[in-house]
Amino acid sequence: MVTTMKAWQYKAIHGKLENSLEFSTVTHAPSTTTLTKGQILIETISASLNPIDYKIPELGFVSKLIISTPATPGLDFCGRVVGTYASNDTFKIGDIVYGALSRPTKFGSLGEFMIAPSGECALLPEGLDPDHAAAIGTAGQTAFQSLDPRIVKKGSKVFINGGSGGTGTFGIQFAKILGAEVTTTCSTKNVELCKSLGADEVIDYTQVDILSELKKRGQVFDLAIDNVGRPALLYERSGEFLKPGAKFVEVGVQVSLSGFTKTMGRKVIPRCLGGGNRPFHFLVVQSKQEDLTQIGKWLVDGKARVVIDEIFKREDVPKAFERLRTGRTVGKIVVQVGEK
């Protein structure tokens, strides 16, 4: 039984997460004996990064209430099952699975071994590369769950704010699979990428004002999804471009008291006091086996593809976080943690 492993860890945050990480070659490894019902032990092959991976640890005292240290960051993964709980009947030793943890834990995906609930994993389909599977995790499921199937269907008009990031690149493709007409936003250098993913219209925010462009179109959209959080008044002015009763979905929020207050305020502040006049929904992504499986099938069938910004080696994790923090990534950042 393996008792130690290699992993990136932090004990305390000194400024930024990437400046606080240390690579240990002999840190304590999780084991089969520590598993609880429904959990599996995974040897990590690949991981992908999300802003939440550094935002939660950097919350100071609050982060200590969420994660015990020393801790290894990383929610998204693809890896090999090396241990299961006694009553497990979902996966067997040797299976390669992918998924995303619903919340940060002590043993994240930037370590050699990690623990995950079996319900937050799916079996890797033949033909799907582990690096691509790891990239699905949080961003893929966020995009999938933001597209309400009761709304998005053939002929629906969907506005996606932020089409070139991890969630946006998935969102454009998934909306098109469902039959929607998609309008998205990005900078000049990513316009052609968004079009190649299926976007019918692309608003270049470096050349025009997003709110003015949307107002010109009138109340035509059945759904709006905000992956960015800017422009600041996008929700408050959504009545100018969303159909009456159409929903506004926010999938990104500033991890701070002010960010939380703003998001919660949007649910309760009436129009007469400066609020919006369309239904507001803040999406909290839930990792689900059935969603992961569906996304994996679309990828294998060639209906969608993973957009990867850059693949980093395990020893370059701090550089990977530096790249992520720029906010200019196109698609996902992947880290190769172990052997395929």
mmCIF file of all heavy atoms in Angstrom, residues 235 250 252-254 256-269 280-283:
data_model
loop_
_atom_site.group_PDB
_atom_site.id
_atom_site.type_symbol
_atom_site.label_atom_id
_atom_site.label_comp_id
_atom_site.label_asym_id
_atom_site.label_seq_id
_atom_site.Cartn_x
_atom_site.Cartn_y
_atom_site.Cartn_z
ATOM 1 N N TYR A 235 -27.003 42.423 -16.428
ATOM 2 C CA TYR A 235 -28.297 41.890 -15.977
ATOM 3 C C TYR A 235 -29.329 42.993 -15.838
ATOM 4 O O TYR A 235 -30.477 42.847 -16.279
ATOM 5 C CB TYR A 235 -28.161 41.155 -14.650
ATOM 6 C CG TYR A 235 -29.518 40.869 -14.050
ATOM 7 C CD1 TYR A 235 -30.413 40.014 -14.697
ATOM 8 C CD2 TYR A 235 -29.941 41.487 -12.861
ATOM 9 C CE1 TYR A 235 -31.688 39.782 -14.193
ATOM 10 C CE2 TYR A 235 -31.205 41.258 -12.347
ATOM 11 C CZ TYR A 235 -32.072 40.403 -13.005
ATOM 12 O OH TYR A 235 -33.331 40.178 -12.521
ATOM 13 N N GLU A 250 -26.236 33.661 -14.423
ATOM 14 C CA GLU A 250 -24.880 34.088 -14.079
ATOM 15 C C GLU A 250 -24.106 32.871 -13.596
ATOM 16 O O GLU A 250 -24.532 32.173 -12.671
ATOM 17 C CB GLU A 250 -24.908 35.154 -12.988
ATOM 18 C CG GLU A 250 -23.538 35.714 -12.646
ATOM 19 C CD GLU A 250 -23.621 36.872 -11.654
ATOM 20 O OE1 GLU A 250 -24.305 37.867 -11.968
ATOM 21 O OE2 GLU A 250 -23.029 36.758 -10.575
ATOM 22 N N GLY A 252 -20.521 33.035 -13.201
ATOM 23 C CA GLY A 252 -19.279 33.440 -12.541
ATOM 24 C C GLY A 252 -19.577 34.551 -11.554
ATOM 25 O O GLY A 252 -20.337 35.459 -11.848
ATOM 26 N N VAL A 253 -18.991 34.466 -10.375
ATOM 27 C CA VAL A 253 -19.195 35.504 -9.369
ATOM 28 C C VAL A 253 -17.860 35.786 -8.693
ATOM 29 O O VAL A 253 -17.023 34.888 -8.525
ATOM 30 C CB VAL A 253 -20.236 35.072 -8.306
ATOM 31 C CG1 VAL A 253 -19.773 33.874 -7.517
ATOM 32 C CG2 VAL A 253 -20.567 36.226 -7.366
ATOM 33 N N GLN A 254 -17.644 37.043 -8.362
ATOM 34 C CA GLN A 254 -16.429 37.414 -7.643
ATOM 35 C C GLN A 254 -16.460 36.761 -6.268
ATOM 36 O O GLN A 254 -17.423 36.908 -5.510
ATOM 37 C CB GLN A 254 -16.362 38.937 -7.498
ATOM 38 C CG GLN A 254 -15.088 39.437 -6.833
ATOM 39 C CD GLN A 254 -15.081 40.951 -6.702
ATOM 40 O OE1 GLN A 254 -15.945 41.646 -7.221
ATOM 41 N NE2 GLN A 254 -14.105 41.463 -5.994
ATOM 42 N N SER A 256 -15.895 37.052 -3.121
ATOM 43 C CA SER A 256 -15.673 38.053 -2.077
ATOM 44 C C SER A 256 -17.026 38.420 -1.508
ATOM 45 O O SER A 256 -18.075 38.085 -2.066
ATOM 46 C CB SER A 256 -14.997 39.307 -2.649
ATOM 47 O OG SER A 256 -15.849 39.946 -3.563
ATOM 48 N N LEU A 257 -17.022 39.129 -0.396
ATOM 49 C CA LEU A 257 -18.277 39.552 0.219
ATOM 50 C C LEU A 257 -19.047 40.477 -0.717
ATOM 51 O O LEU A 257 -20.266 40.354 -0.870
ATOM 52 C CB LEU A 257 -18.003 40.264 1.553
ATOM 53 C CG LEU A 257 -19.242 40.762 2.317
ATOM 54 C CD1 LEU A 257 -20.178 39.605 2.627
ATOM 55 C CD2 LEU A 257 -18.821 41.482 3.597
ATOM 56 N N SER A 258 -18.335 41.399 -1.385
ATOM 57 C CA SER A 258 -19.006 42.336 -2.283
ATOM 58 C C SER A 258 -19.598 41.607 -3.485
ATOM 59 O O SER A 258 -20.706 41.919 -3.927
ATOM 60 C CB SER A 258 -18.030 43.415 -2.765
ATOM 61 O OG SER A 258 -16.942 42.842 -3.475
ATOM 62 N N GLY A 259 -18.864 40.615 -4.010
ATOM 63 C CA GLY A 259 -19.358 39.849 -5.137
ATOM 64 C C GLY A 259 -20.589 39.049 -4.771
ATOM 65 O O GLY A 259 -21.570 38.993 -5.528
ATOM 66 N N PHE A 260 -20.550 38.423 -3.597
ATOM 67 C CA PHE A 260 -21.691 37.639 -3.117
ATOM 68 C C PHE A 260 -22.901 38.540 -2.897
ATOM 69 O O PHE A 260 -24.022 38.195 -3.271
ATOM 70 C CB PHE A 260 -21.310 36.930 -1.818
ATOM 71 C CG PHE A 260 -22.433 36.130 -1.213
ATOM 72 C CD1 PHE A 260 -22.765 34.885 -1.717
ATOM 73 C CD2 PHE A 260 -23.164 36.639 -0.146
ATOM 74 C CE1 PHE A 260 -23.805 34.142 -1.172
ATOM 75 C CE2 PHE A 260 -24.207 35.906 0.410
ATOM 76 C CZ PHE A 260 -24.519 34.659 -0.104
ATOM 77 N N THR A 261 -22.672 39.717 -2.313
ATOM 78 C CA THR A 261 -23.758 40.651 -2.026
ATOM 79 C C THR A 261 -24.423 41.126 -3.318
ATOM 80 O O THR A 261 -25.653 41.206 -3.409
ATOM 81 C CB THR A 261 -23.231 41.864 -1.235
ATOM 82 O OG1 THR A 261 -22.640 41.409 -0.014
ATOM 83 C CG2 THR A 261 -24.354 42.834 -0.916
ATOM 84 N N LYS A 262 -23.599 41.422 -4.332
ATOM 85 C CA LYS A 262 -24.138 41.881 -5.614
ATOM 86 C C LYS A 262 -25.004 40.806 -6.254
ATOM 87 O O LYS A 262 -26.105 41.073 -6.743
ATOM 88 C CB LYS A 262 -23.003 42.260 -6.556
ATOM 89 C CG LYS A 262 -23.482 42.747 -7.915
ATOM 90 C CD LYS A 262 -22.313 43.131 -8.799
ATOM 91 C CE LYS A 262 -22.790 43.612 -10.171
ATOM 92 N NZ LYS A 262 -21.660 43.953 -11.063
ATOM 93 N N THR A 263 -24.511 39.569 -6.242
ATOM 94 C CA THR A 263 -25.255 38.469 -6.855
ATOM 95 C C THR A 263 -26.568 38.222 -6.130
ATOM 96 O O THR A 263 -27.621 38.058 -6.759
ATOM 97 C CB THR A 263 -24.410 37.184 -6.853
ATOM 98 O OG1 THR A 263 -23.237 37.407 -7.647
ATOM 99 C CG2 THR A 263 -25.177 36.013 -7.430
ATOM 100 N N MET A 264 -26.529 38.188 -4.823
ATOM 101 C CA MET A 264 -27.746 37.952 -4.057
ATOM 102 C C MET A 264 -28.734 39.108 -4.226
ATOM 103 O O MET A 264 -29.952 38.915 -4.275
ATOM 104 C CB MET A 264 -27.414 37.755 -2.573
ATOM 105 C CG MET A 264 -26.655 36.461 -2.275
ATOM 106 S SD MET A 264 -27.533 34.961 -2.830
ATOM 107 C CE MET A 264 -26.655 34.574 -4.365
ATOM 108 N N GLY A 265 -28.186 40.331 -4.346
ATOM 109 C CA GLY A 265 -29.043 41.498 -4.527
ATOM 110 C C GLY A 265 -29.837 41.434 -5.820
ATOM 111 O O GLY A 265 -30.976 41.898 -5.890
ATOM 112 N N ARG A 266 -29.233 40.835 -6.836
ATOM 113 C CA ARG A 266 -29.921 40.732 -8.120
ATOM 114 C C ARG A 266 -31.176 39.863 -8.038
ATOM 115 O O ARG A 266 -32.073 39.985 -8.865
ATOM 116 C CB ARG A 266 -28.964 40.179 -9.173
ATOM 117 C CG ARG A 266 -27.961 41.214 -9.662
ATOM 118 C CD ARG A 266 -26.981 40.648 -10.659
ATOM 119 N NE ARG A 266 -26.355 41.716 -11.419
ATOM 120 C CZ ARG A 266 -25.393 41.541 -12.308
ATOM 121 N NH1 ARG A 266 -24.941 40.316 -12.542
ATOM 122 N NH2 ARG A 266 -24.886 42.570 -12.976
ATOM 123 N N LYS A 267 -31.222 39.000 -7.063
ATOM 124 C CA LYS A 267 -32.384 38.125 -6.908
ATOM 125 C C LYS A 267 -33.542 38.825 -6.223
ATOM 126 O O LYS A 267 -34.690 38.385 -6.327
ATOM 127 C CB LYS A 267 -31.990 36.866 -6.111
ATOM 128 C CG LYS A 267 -30.969 35.982 -6.823
ATOM 129 C CD LYS A 267 -30.669 34.749 -6.019
ATOM 130 C CE LYS A 267 -31.808 33.762 -6.037
ATOM 131 N NZ LYS A 267 -32.034 33.151 -7.352
ATOM 132 N N VAL A 268 -33.234 39.923 -5.500
ATOM 133 C CA VAL A 268 -34.285 40.532 -4.674
ATOM 134 C C VAL A 268 -34.575 42.008 -4.966
ATOM 135 O O VAL A 268 -35.655 42.497 -4.638
ATOM 136 C CB VAL A 268 -33.944 40.391 -3.172
ATOM 137 C CG1 VAL A 268 -33.872 38.919 -2.782
ATOM 138 C CG2 VAL A 268 -32.622 41.082 -2.835
ATOM 139 N N ILE A 269 -33.600 42.733 -5.582
ATOM 140 C CA ILE A 269 -33.814 44.170 -5.805
ATOM 141 C C ILE A 269 -34.772 44.383 -6.975
ATOM 142 O O ILE A 269 -34.523 43.915 -8.085
ATOM 143 C CB ILE A 269 -32.476 44.888 -6.089
ATOM 144 C CG1 ILE A 269 -31.554 44.792 -4.870
ATOM 145 C CG2 ILE A 269 -32.727 46.358 -6.438
ATOM 146 C CD1 ILE A 269 -30.172 45.363 -5.091
ATOM 147 N N PHE A 280 -33.660 36.003 -12.673
ATOM 148 C CA PHE A 280 -32.209 35.878 -12.475
ATOM 149 C C PHE A 280 -31.888 34.552 -11.798
ATOM 150 O O PHE A 280 -32.539 34.169 -10.824
ATOM 151 C CB PHE A 280 -31.691 37.031 -11.608
ATOM 152 C CG PHE A 280 -30.226 36.937 -11.273
ATOM 153 C CD1 PHE A 280 -29.278 37.402 -12.172
ATOM 154 C CD2 PHE A 280 -29.799 36.373 -10.072
ATOM 155 C CE1 PHE A 280 -27.920 37.314 -11.874
ATOM 156 C CE2 PHE A 280 -28.448 36.278 -9.771
ATOM 157 C CZ PHE A 280 -27.506 36.752 -10.672
ATOM 158 N N HIS A 281 -30.896 33.858 -12.339
ATOM 159 C CA HIS A 281 -30.493 32.572 -11.756
ATOM 160 C C HIS A 281 -28.975 32.525 -11.645
ATOM 161 O O HIS A 281 -28.272 32.717 -12.633
ATOM 162 C CB HIS A 281 -30.981 31.412 -12.617
ATOM 163 C CG HIS A 281 -30.531 30.066 -12.139
ATOM 164 N ND1 HIS A 281 -30.929 29.528 -10.922
ATOM 165 C CD2 HIS A 281 -29.698 29.143 -12.695
ATOM 166 C CE1 HIS A 281 -30.369 28.340 -10.768
ATOM 167 N NE2 HIS A 281 -29.617 28.085 -11.815
ATOM 168 N N PHE A 282 -28.482 32.285 -10.438
ATOM 169 C CA PHE A 282 -27.043 32.077 -10.253
ATOM 170 C C PHE A 282 -26.785 30.579 -10.224
ATOM 171 O O PHE A 282 -27.305 29.861 -9.374
ATOM 172 C CB PHE A 282 -26.546 32.722 -8.953
ATOM 173 C CG PHE A 282 -25.100 32.408 -8.670
ATOM 174 C CD1 PHE A 282 -24.115 32.850 -9.532
ATOM 175 C CD2 PHE A 282 -24.738 31.659 -7.561
ATOM 176 C CE1 PHE A 282 -22.784 32.548 -9.295
ATOM 177 C CE2 PHE A 282 -23.411 31.358 -7.316
ATOM 178 C CZ PHE A 282 -22.430 31.804 -8.180
ATOM 179 N N LEU A 283 -25.989 30.114 -11.169
ATOM 180 C CA LEU A 283 -25.749 28.684 -11.307
ATOM 181 C C LEU A 283 -24.641 28.207 -10.381
ATOM 182 O O LEU A 283 -23.517 28.693 -10.442
ATOM 183 C CB LEU A 283 -25.376 28.341 -12.752
ATOM 184 C CG LEU A 283 -25.074 26.863 -13.011
ATOM 185 C CD1 LEU A 283 -26.345 26.027 -12.910
ATOM 186 C CD2 LEU A 283 -24.434 26.675 -14.379
#
